[in-house]
Amino acid sequence: MVKGKLELVICGAAGGIGQPLSLLLKQSDLISHLALFDVVNAPGVAADLSHINTKSTVTGHGKDQMDEAMKGAHTVVIPAGVPRKPGMSRDDLFKINAGIVRDLAEGVAKNCPGANVLVISNPVNSTVPIVCEVLKQHGVFNPRKVFGVSTLDAVRASRFSFETNSSIPPSSRVTVVGGHSGTTIVPLLSQLPNNFVGSLSKEELEKLTYRIQFGGDEVVKAKDGAGSATLSMAFAGARFTLAVLQATVGGKTGLIESTYVNLAADADATREFKAKTGLEYFAQDVEFGPEGVQRIVPLPTLSAYEQGLLEVAVKELKVNITKGTAFITDNSKI
Ligand SMILES: NC(=O)c1ccc[n+]([C@@H]2O[C@H](COP(=O)([O-])OP(=O)(O)OC[C@H]3O[C@@H](n4cnc5c(N)ncnc54)[C@H](O)[C@@H]3O)[C@@H](O)[C@H]2O)c1
Ligand SMILES: O=C(O)C[C@H](O)C(=O)O
């Protein structure tokens, strides 16, 4: 095991997301050691990336080498698991991915209990509760360090808004709250400048919102059985991961991204929302700090349309969260 100042592990590193994500993160000087873990092909991907002339050392770890990959890691990114095929919902992935994510969370608890855990594997609305419950069972849960990576929703919201009205720069950040599946995805387009929402008809706003909510399905359909978003996800995943690293080790302040977290990460700021909705997890704007979540940014005033979207999202999230939590609490191995 090669040790540097900051080790980042990618679990599922040889996959459709894992490979381009590893490539993008190999370019970061914040990372000293990039450990690539997968049940297949990790050594080959690592050998390839290790030839890139940037700072980080890259190592590959196969099926029985999760512990060595994770030992002492600062940050663990998890895109491990199967993707959707046409006609499937993200929840249809639960029966396979829940066990994969559970086992990886066990590895975190054992090898790097203080690590940031960035969950990409679907269904995110349920896999984040799985990670949290496993860490709780081991007595190492810190809600400020577990993140559901819903950044792709924000990336889509920015790009699709620009396509709708080019007064909104494609690089503008859009707050997207709720969760990461269909109608749990609530883009707060009313927060965009230049009276963006006011410039849209009701139909245009509904069409844009729907495209953001179901952007994943658009890619699954277009890939026609070859999987789901990988390259745009790698882009979004790298943006999110680097924001976490810049805040936790890079000394940067004020960085904000929408991300799906356990609301205990900022209990004071979310107490009223949690009491009103009954939700323990929710995607919201988070400002990063040295310990992960610095604060959860209070929800802005929503439009009547967004309030309606939120009410639908809350109902579905409750089901998703309960499913993930129960997978661990009702099947405790410890
Ligand atoms: N959060 C998001 O916005 C978002 C976006 C796109 C895809 N996803 C999800 O990401 C996941 C991965 O998608 P993909 O297209 O990269 O799939 P993929 O099948 O191309 O890659 C998955 C990788 O995980 C590996 N793997 C499987 N079991 C493992 C285990 N126990 N330990 C370590 N590695 C393991 C596989 O060998 C494979 O290399 C899917 O669940 C997909 O739904 C999430
Ligand atoms: O749609 C999927 O299944 C993958 C991912 O969650 C996405 O939003 O692209």
Side-chain angles (χ1 to χ4, degrees):
M1 168 65 73
V2 175
K3 293 305 292 176
K5 284 193 290 299
L6 187 150
E7 175 181 328
L8 184 139
V9 188
I10 297 177
C11 302
I17 296 168
Q19 290 201 38
L21 177 60
S22 300
L23 171 62
L24 291 172
L25 293 179
K26 173 61 174 128
Q27 299 172 75
S28 170
D29 281 348
L30 290 170
I31 299 168
S32 308
H33 176 197
L34 198 54
L36 307 186
F37 170 58
D38 203 309
V39 292
V40 291
N41 301 335
V45 175
D48 188 349
L49 287 173
S50 71
H51 291 187
I52 293 174
N53 61 324
T54 55
K55 169 183 161 186
S56 53
T57 298
V58 185
T59 55
H61 308 271
K63 186 174 172 57
D64 300 322
Q65 298 170 326
M66 175 181 72
D67 292 342
E68 75 169 28
M70 289 187 175
K71 206 75 187 157
H74 174 275
T75 292
V76 180
V77 188
I78 304 178
V82 296
R84 284 197 285 170
K85 292 193 181 303
M88 289 175 74
S89 69
R90 292 180 182 80
D91 186 56
D92 289 332
L93 302 174
F94 185 93
K95 52 185 171 299
I96 293 176
N97 289 347
I100 291 171
V101 170
R102 176 201 59 213
D103 295 347
L104 293 170
E106 295 277 356
V108 170
K110 178 182 171 187
N111 297 291
C112 50
N116 298 302
V117 185
L118 283 53
V119 184
I120 293 174
S121 311
N122 274 317
V124 167
N125 295 354
S126 303
T127 51
V128 170
I130 287 173
V131 171
C132 293
E133 288 301 327
V134 168
L135 296 178
K136 283 179 191 175
Q137 287 190 343
H138 288 269
V140 297
F141 174 54
N142 180 344
R144 298 195 298 168
K145 288 182 174 287
V146 182
F147 304 89
V149 185
S150 54
T151 319
L152 183 51
D153 301 324
V155 168
R156 285 172 174 143
S158 299
R159 171 64 203 176
F160 298 165
S161 297
F162 170 71
E163 288 177 11
T164 305
N165 178 338
S166 58
S167 73
I168 302 298
S171 60
S172 56
R173 192 182 70 81
V174 179
T175 295
V176 182
V177 302
H180 177 66
S181 69
T183 52
T184 69
I185 298 170
V186 181
L188 301 189
L189 298 170
S190 65
Q191 301 302 307
L192 283 173
N194 310 334
N195 188 32
F196 173 73
V197 167
S199 70
L200 302 180
S201 68
K202 179 173 178 294
E203 290 71 28
E204 284 171 329
L205 177 59
E206 288 172 350
K207 186 178 171 197
L208 173 57
T209 300
Y210 181 89
R211 193 180 177 205
I212 296 165
Q213 289 181 326
F214 294 92
D217 298 73
E218 188 178 307
V219 177
V220 168
K221 183 168 182 278
K223 287 197 174 184
D224 194 25
S228 54
T230 52
L231 302 173
S232 52
M233 180 59 232
F235 171 86
R239 167 172 136 181
F240 185 81
T241 303
L242 292 173
V244 172
L245 297 186
Q246 283 162 352
T248 50
V249 297
K252 256 193 140 178
T253 57
L255 291 173
I256 293 175
E257 289 284 358
S258 300
T259 175
Y260 182 71
V261 293
N262 183 301
L263 295 179
D266 190 346
D268 291 342
T270 58
R271 184 165 290 108
E272 190 179 329
F273 177 82
K274 183 175 176 180
K276 186 176 167 201
T277 62
L279 292 181
E280 266 199 85
Y281 296 83
F282 194 70
Q284 207 160 327
D285 272 358
V286 161
E287 181 177 346
F288 302 112
E291 293 306 311
V293 173
Q294 182 71 24
R295 70 184 179 102
I296 295 179
V297 180
L299 280 175
T301 303
L302 305 186
S303 66
Y305 176 61
E306 289 161 351
Q307 191 56 49
L309 294 174
L310 183 62
E311 284 161 17
V312 172
V314 167
K315 287 194 182 79
E316 189 175 337
L317 277 167
K318 279 182 181 168
V319 175
N320 302 154
I321 292 164
T322 300
K323 186 170 184 178
T325 302
F327 182 72
I328 301 300
T329 56
D330 294 358
N331 299 291
S332 173
K333 297 194 305 185
I334 298 173

